[in-house]
């Protein structure tokens, strides 16, 4: 029973009053969350992939921080998108589709974060929070793409992330912004007739280009319309002072804390964190060689040792983030994906990508080795489709998916 039920008898029907006993039984659905952490240069395989499978698989050196989280994460072997291109293929990590093939795909090269945000629109102040722990100089993930094929730039300063999340506009500033939105109205609506007339005179290629451009403008307008709903709502207050910007190793721990607070305060349910190519090797006790230089190790022992240290630093902080969400009671409702669009940074391969998924209420098994034979290959998009359905999106496909990882869901 619940409070909407009626008492019924022969020839009579009496509505129940509000009964808190039954109200407590009506547990609202838990909000689902998604966070992706990615780097542009992949992982050294033997430091990331366990040599055994199953829940009790021994963890390699760079996953030791996950020991206390056993049963709450899974590493997947042999998942990728079946593409190539090295650095030019990393941008397809969250979509499974390179930009050059987007035009023939039903959903373009929309990435998982943006895909989930479409289903989550209006529920939080920020449908998606795309962030980076620093400058993309030295290598970029190019992680997030809209349905119309537009790259979503990541916020690269923790001070900016903090202000967006927790510093409210003055009432005067909020009113001015709201009035500006109302005054401008829809640019597309104002020029639609002229755009339709122009399109008739364009070549097919230019028609497609104009349509993509207008779709991008409409996406921006929709985002602005959603933002209007939040203009006068105060941001949550947190016991945290504005952080200082810095190097990647200085910003990354702060960024994880800010994203945890963003999830906890329902400021967003979806976020991405990029570990950029501008990673400061000095921050993990290495000489000033850049992250990119270490990734091109060519199996040189010294360079490989440096690359392992950089990768361990990333994974240690992912483990801390997972543990923090677990302590906050958010882990079962938050799917945390770590990975890269690059498999082997030294060989520039986009195959056998390093994939770790934590939380989300999945039946985790520590290490799941999927078929490696080309004829039996399972696309990474199958995992993404599984994740999208767990998030609550009613869909039967995502990217290049052929189904779900049903035995894992």
């Amino acid at each position: 029973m619940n409070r909407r039920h009626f008492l019924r008898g022969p020839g009579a029907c009496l509505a129940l009053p509000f009964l808190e006993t039954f109200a407590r039984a009506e547990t609202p659905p838990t909000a689902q969350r998604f966070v992706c952490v990615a780097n542009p240069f992949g992982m050294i395989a033997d430091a990331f992939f366990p040599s055994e499978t199953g829940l009790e698989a021994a963890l390699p050196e760079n996953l030791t921080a996950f020991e206390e989280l056993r049963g709450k994460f899974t590493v997947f072997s042999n998942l990728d998108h079946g593409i190539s291109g090295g650095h030019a293929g990393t941008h397809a990590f969250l979509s499974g589709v390179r930009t050059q093939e987007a035009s023939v795909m039903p959903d373009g090269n929309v990435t998982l974060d943006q895909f989930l945000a479409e289903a989550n629109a209006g529920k939080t102040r920020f449908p998606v929070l795309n962030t980076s722990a620093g400058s993309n100089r030295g290598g970029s993930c190019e992680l997030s793409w809209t349905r119309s094929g537009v790259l979503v730039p990541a916020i690269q300063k923790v001070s900016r992330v903090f202000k967006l999340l927790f510093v409210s506009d003055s009432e005067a500033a909020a009113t001015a912004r709201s009035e500006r939105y109302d005054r401008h109205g829809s640019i597309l609506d104002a020029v639609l007739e002229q755009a339709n007339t122009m399109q008739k005179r364009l070549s097919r290629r230019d028609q497609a280009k104009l349509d993509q451009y207008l779709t991008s403008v409409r996406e921006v307008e929709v985002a602005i319309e959603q933002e209007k709903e939040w203009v006068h709502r105060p941001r949550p207050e947190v016991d945290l002072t504005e952080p200082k910007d810095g190097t990647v190793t200085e910003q990354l721990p702060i960024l994880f804390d800010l994203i945890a607070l963003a999830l906890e305060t329902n400021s967003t349910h979806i976020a991405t964190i990029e570990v950029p190519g501008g990673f400061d090797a000095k921050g993990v006790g290495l000489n000033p060689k850049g992250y990119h230089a270490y990734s091109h190790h060519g199996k040189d022992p010294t360079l490989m040792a440096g690359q392992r240290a950089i990768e361990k630093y990333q994974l240690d902080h992912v483990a801390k983030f997972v543990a923090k969400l677990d302590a906050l009671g958010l882990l079962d409702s938050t799917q945390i994906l770590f990975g890269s669009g690059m498999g082997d940074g030294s060989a520039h391969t986009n195959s056998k990508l390093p994939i770790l998924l934590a939380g989300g209420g999945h039946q985790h098994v520590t290490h799941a080795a999927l078929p490696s034979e080309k004829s039996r290959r399972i696309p990474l998009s199958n995992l993404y489709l599984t994740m999208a359905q767990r998030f609550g999106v009613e869909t039967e496909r995502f990217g290049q998916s052929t189904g779900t990882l049903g035995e894992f869901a």
Side-chain angles (χ1 to χ4, degrees), residues 26 45 59-60 64 89 94 98 102 127 190 209 220 245 290 309 370 387 391 406:
E26 292 178 14
L59 299 180
T64 53
L94 273 185
R98 293 181 296 185
K209 186 181 295 185
V220 173
D245 302 323
L370 300 176
M387 294 170 65
F391 192 87

Side-chain angles (χ1 to χ4, degrees), residues 273-333:
I273 300 175
E274 296 184 28
V275 180
F279 189 101
D280 53 311
K282 290 177 67 176
V284 291
L286 301 172
N287 68 37
K289 281 183 181 291
Y291 184 12
H292 191 202
Y294 278 105
S295 75
H296 285 260
H297 51 73
K299 298 191 176 180
D300 175 90
T302 302
L303 292 179
M304 288 189 79
Q307 183 71 357
R308 290 172 192 271
I310 292 171
E311 293 173 1
K312 189 174 190 306
Y313 175 88
Q314 297 175 36
L315 287 163
D316 283 354
H317 282 286
V318 173
K320 289 179 182 177
F321 180 66
V322 173
K324 184 166 192 170
L325 292 193
D326 195 18
L328 290 171
L330 297 177
L331 186 59
D332 282 347
S333 61

Side-chain angles (χ1 to χ4, degrees), residues 118 194 344 394:
E118 291 175 355
Q194 188 176 3
D344 185 330
E394 295 183 7

Side-chain angles (χ1 to χ4, degrees), residues 124-256:
T124 58
R125 183 182 295 275
F126 302 100
V128 191
L129 198 60
N130 299 112
T131 70
S132 174
S135 168
N136 284 326
R137 285 180 295 178
S140 171
C141 299
E142 295 188 329
L143 189 60
S144 183
W145 297 80
T146 69
R147 187 177 293 275
S148 59
V150 176
L151 175 64
V152 180
I155 306 166
Q156 298 178 0
K157 295 182 177 181
V158 290
S159 62
R160 176 63 177 155
V161 176
F162 176 84
K163 288 175 182 175
L164 282 173
L165 287 170
F166 305 122
V167 179
S168 296
D169 291 335
S170 67
E171 186 59 32
T175 299
R177 188 191 306 178
S178 182
E179 290 175 350
R180 187 165 64 251
Y181 288 156
D182 293 338
R183 185 168 61 251
H184 287 175
S186 170
I187 296 172
L188 278 190
D189 289 346
V191 301
L192 192 57
E193 184 176 348
Q194 188 176 3
N196 288 336
T197 301
M198 177 188 291
Q199 197 147 20
K200 295 174 183 177
R201 304 200 306 267
L202 299 177
S203 66
R204 285 189 178 181
R205 186 171 179 176
D206 281 345
Q207 285 178 354
K209 186 181 295 185
L210 179 61
D211 184 61
Q212 184 181 46
Y213 170 71
L214 295 177
T215 300
S216 300
V217 173
R218 180 64 79 189
E219 286 176 347
V220 173
E221 291 189 339
V222 169
I224 289 174
E225 192 65 30
Q226 292 169 356
E227 185 179 341
K228 284 172 61 177
E229 300 297 319
W230 295 87
V231 167
H232 291 282
R233 299 189 196 182
R235 285 166 168 77
E237 295 182 4
V238 293
D239 186 18
L240 184 70
T241 57
E242 182 180 326
K244 293 182 179 179
D245 302 323
T247 64
V248 173
T249 55
E250 291 167 341
Q251 290 203 144
L252 189 60
I254 298 170
L255 196 51
F256 276 118

Side-chain angles (χ1 to χ4, degrees), residues 38-116:
N39 74 49
F41 302 136
M43 292 271 137
I44 293 176
D46 64 17
F48 180 81
F49 294 105
S51 58
E52 305 166 332
T53 59
L55 184 63
E56 300 303 321
L59 299 180
E61 59 181 301
N62 281 0
L63 288 180
T64 53
F66 283 84
E67 185 62 52
E68 298 302 314
L69 296 166
R70 197 177 287 273
K72 299 175 182 178
F73 74 95
T74 301
V75 174
F76 293 88
S77 293
N78 304 318
L79 283 179
D80 56 52
H81 295 304
I83 63 175
S84 59
H87 292 301
T90 58
H91 71 273
F93 173 54
L94 273 185
S95 67
V97 181
R98 293 181 296 185
T99 54
Q100 54 264 50
E101 284 111 33
S103 61
V104 299
M105 295 296 295
D107 298 312
N109 66 321
V110 64
T111 48
L112 184 59
D113 61 312
Q114 298 292 322
F115 185 75
L116 299 181

Side-chain angles (χ1 to χ4, degrees), residues 6-17:
F6 297 84
L7 298 177
R8 301 178 187 276
C13 180
L14 182 65
L16 285 170

